[in-house]
Amino acid sequence: SDVGQNRAEISMKHLRDLNPYVNIKVNAGTLDEATLKEFQVVVCADMLMESALNINRICHQQGVLFLACQSRGLFGNVFVDFGSDFVITDVDGEQPLSAMLSHVTQEDPGLVTTLDETRHGLSTGDFVTFTEIQGMAELNNCEPVQINVTGPYTFTIGNTKGMGAYTSGGYVKQIKMPAK
């Protein structure tokens, strides 16, 4: 049984099982700037918020990745600071949205309308791309385009004046863009 033993020592054994090629050290001493600089990642568990924020400040200055977690019965939290250059490839973890099109106008900005049966669910600032559009083929497999939502079934995409006339069909798909 692990009851009564040092949590860091016990956790280290289990972490090693996940990936034996990762070098893991437990520091039972003080966590000063010189000590924290030795690590690539620092994980703090159930530490007082003030102490965790102080350690994070030092880690952030030194380019050391930082994670803090707390467990309080039914509730818990995780704080992650992977530095200012960390890129998030999926900000919400949800599947990309998609919808069938019913019309795209030839104007600036072009108004895209989805079928009335299903709301598109997109938000202003999202990026999308298109497939299987008849007529306005220039949009098919285009680079991701940022949208401005104008209603539950409509959004604008920029200038579509010089494109072919929309005739039928097509799908819009949300594209998850990397973000810092």
Side-chain angles (χ1 to χ4, degrees):
S1 172
D2 299 334
V3 176
Q5 296 185 41
N6 181 293
R7 181 181 298 173
E9 295 289 341
I10 298 304
S11 298
M12 182 177 69
K13 293 175 188 176
H14 297 288
L15 286 170
R16 277 205 179 110
D17 289 343
L18 293 174
N19 189 343
Y21 299 106
V22 174
N23 187 15
I24 301 172
K25 286 190 334 188
V26 170
N27 179 350
T30 58
L31 291 174
D32 57 16
E33 189 169 336
T35 303
L36 292 170
K37 197 187 285 190
E38 297 175 15
F39 293 91
Q40 291 178 317
V41 179
V42 171
V43 179
C44 297
D46 290 332
M47 181 178 275
L48 292 174
M49 182 63 75
E50 185 178 325
S51 299
L53 289 173
N54 186 46
I55 291 170
N56 178 59
R57 181 185 51 75
I58 296 168
C59 287
H60 190 83
Q61 291 170 349
Q62 301 297 325
V64 175
L65 309 181
F66 178 80
L67 292 98
C69 56
Q70 293 184 340
S71 175
R72 302 285 186 247
L74 292 175
F75 302 96
N77 65 39
V78 176
F79 173 77
V80 178
D81 183 352
F82 285 164
S84 55
D85 291 330
F86 182 69
V87 175
I88 299 168
T89 56
D90 186 351
V91 296
D92 62 8
E94 299 293 328
Q95 290 293 323
L97 299 170
S98 63
M100 294 176 64
L101 303 180
S102 65
H103 190 70
V104 182
T105 64
Q106 289 177 294
E107 54 190 344
D108 186 11
L111 181 69
V112 178
T113 305
T114 60
L115 292 179
D116 287 340
E117 293 86 31
T118 308
R119 295 171 178 257
H120 56 66
L122 299 166
S123 299
T124 294
D126 282 352
F127 285 81
V128 299
T129 191
F130 302 90
T131 56
E132 301 182 36
I133 295 176
Q134 303 298 311
M136 198 173 278
E138 297 90 343
L139 288 178
N140 287 329
N141 301 309
C142 66
E143 291 294 317
V145 177
Q146 194 168 21
I147 67 165
N148 182 36
V149 173
T150 55
Y153 306 101
T154 58
F155 57 89
T156 58
I157 58 171
N159 192 349
T160 56
K161 280 183 180 180
M163 298 181 183
Y166 176 89
T167 55
S168 67
Y171 297 91
V172 60
K173 182 177 180 183
Q174 180 186 36
I175 303 296
K176 304 282 183 126
M177 300 298 285
K180 277 192 170 188

